[in-house]
Amino acid sequence: MDATARHSHRPHGPIADDYTIDQAWERYSPAEHARWDLLHARQVRMLRQRACPEFLQALDRLALSDGGIPHFGRLSERLAARTGWQVVAVPDLVPDPVFFEHLANRRFPAGAFIRGADQLDYLQEPDVFHDVFGHVPMLADPVFADFMQAYGAAGLAAARAGRIDRLARLYWYTVEFGLVRGSRGDDLRIYGAGILSSARESVYALEDPAPRRIGFRADRVMRTRYRIDDLQQVYFVIDDFDQLLDSLQGDREPLYARAAAGPELSPEAVESDDMLHILHAQAAE
Ligand code: HBI
Ligand code: FE
């Protein structure tokens, strides 16, 4: 498949000021729906013992597996009934302020196109599998849903102040690549959409000895650079979703000040304050 085929569904209709488009659900081909079903089945199998319970529960409740690429309108009704969030279609990455404005209003902008058959594992652009399978289930959790809205509000303020970089790192290491402690206390579970939508990283993030797994501190995360083109070298582990929400609630100035006070770190770096998680054998599939 070439690049044109990969974006075969990309709708031709008008793009609104807020970058939303018509999902044009009836225009997906049978092959595109079948690709969703394949990716969905494969990831559910991978994630039964690896994703956090909030994600697994929402997969069922939102009926993301009722056959083919979800219809955003019908999905939004189910999601809004739980947490007031909606899913809107966008063509691709949208500019940061537009992205923040959507999140601050409890709208998740999701790519409408689906990855090509030659890119089943990972691609950098947000397609419908990453956005809807990876991100949307977590939005059915009330605490996580509030965190995402708080992130949007923080982003709008940071954009006005010209300092989005540190906030983007927080998003990367939580919403995209976050791990959470499991109910046993010593086991780890996935909640980050970048991992949840990648078969390879789902195993690597929990079971490979190569990356570091460090207890979450928001200012520490904000000092850590990230790469978008490879498996991660570091994951940050939260205790629960309240810890995320708390990091952005109230006055954020002390957080930005703490982040500015310490050194910038590469993804491989370890600091003396870091709480390193030791790998325990995870339950096999
Ligand atoms: N646009 N569609 C889309 N999806 C994203 O995840 C996204 C975006 N624009 C900006 C962005 N993410 C991030 O760079 C911000 O969190 C900073
Ligand atoms: Fe994402």
Side-chain angles (χ1 to χ4, degrees):
M1 286 236 185
D2 59 17
T4 336
R6 186 170 88 228
H7 300 301
S8 62
H9 176 70
R10 189 151 294 180
H12 309 287
I15 299 181
D17 288 346
D18 65 358
Y19 281 76
T20 57
I21 56 173
D22 177 9
Q23 185 194 9
W25 186 83
E26 57 293 332
R27 284 226 296 265
Y28 291 113
S29 69
E32 288 176 319
H33 283 300
R35 204 172 303 145
W36 169 281
D37 290 342
L38 176 79
L39 286 162
H40 182 282
R42 185 176 75 169
Q43 274 315 90
V44 166
R45 190 163 15 90
M46 283 301 212
L47 294 172
R48 279 281 171 230
Q49 305 294 331
R50 295 186 175 97
C52 65
E54 290 81 357
F55 175 86
L56 295 170
Q57 211 172 56
L59 270 189
D60 291 336
R61 291 184 171 166
L62 296 176
L64 284 184
S65 52
D66 62 0
I69 297 169
H71 182 284
F72 289 4
R74 292 195 284 272
L75 175 58
S76 293
E77 282 173 25
R78 296 193 287 270
L79 182 60
R82 303 204 165 265
T83 57
W85 273 79
Q86 284 177 270
V87 181
V88 294
V90 293
D92 207 330
L93 281 174
V94 302
D96 289 339
V98 176
F99 186 64
F100 296 139
E101 181 75 31
H102 280 300
L103 298 185
N105 290 287
R106 290 173 105 86
R107 289 188 304 266
F108 190 77
F113 76 98
I114 188 158
R115 63 193 63 189
D118 57 339
Q119 286 185 302
L120 289 189
D121 203 52
Y122 185 78
L123 73 172
Q124 286 178 23
E125 313 90 81
D127 79 329
V128 66
F129 188 71
H130 169 79
D131 278 340
V132 172
F133 182 89
H135 284 286
V136 168
M138 292 307 301
L139 295 171
D141 178 74
V143 179
F144 192 86
D146 285 354
F147 168 71
M148 286 289 274
Q149 179 180 10
Y151 177 80
L156 287 174
R160 284 192 292 271
R163 52 174 187 198
I164 292 177
D165 293 10
R166 291 220 167 78
L167 207 58
R169 289 175 181 168
L170 184 67
Y171 190 87
W172 187 263
Y173 284 119
T174 61
V175 178
E176 294 293 352
F177 291 96
L179 300 179
V180 58
R181 294 166 83 100
S183 54
R184 288 207 329 252
D186 62 348
D187 62 327
L188 301 179
R189 293 279 179 152
I190 304 164
Y191 74 91
I195 312 175
L196 293 166
S197 56
S198 162
R200 187 165 165 229
E201 196 144 358
S202 298
V203 176
Y204 172 89
L206 294 185
E207 286 146 67
D208 199 288
R212 279 137 293 273
R213 299 166 184 88
I214 298 176
F216 174 86
R217 285 178 291 136
D219 56 319
R220 193 318 184 176
V221 169
M222 286 178 159
R223 287 190 283 111
T224 311
R225 287 187 286 267
Y226 61 86
R227 10 189 341 172
I228 64 167
D229 58 347
D230 202 356
L231 296 168
Q232 301 301 304
Q233 292 307 307
V234 61
Y235 299 95
F236 291 94
V237 182
I238 59 171
D239 295 325
D240 54 36
F241 296 113
D242 287 301
Q243 190 182 12
L244 279 188
L245 182 57
D246 290 347
S247 73
L248 285 184
Q249 264 180 349
D251 182 7
R252 291 180 298 269
E253 287 310 315
L255 171 61
Y256 287 121
R258 280 199 309 282
E264 290 262 313
L265 299 173
S266 72
E268 296 81 20
V270 173
E271 280 192 327
S272 56
D273 288 354
D274 286 342
M275 223 285 278
L276 281 163
H277 281 257
I278 313 298
L279 266 196
H280 293 268
Q282 296 276 331
E285 275 173 42

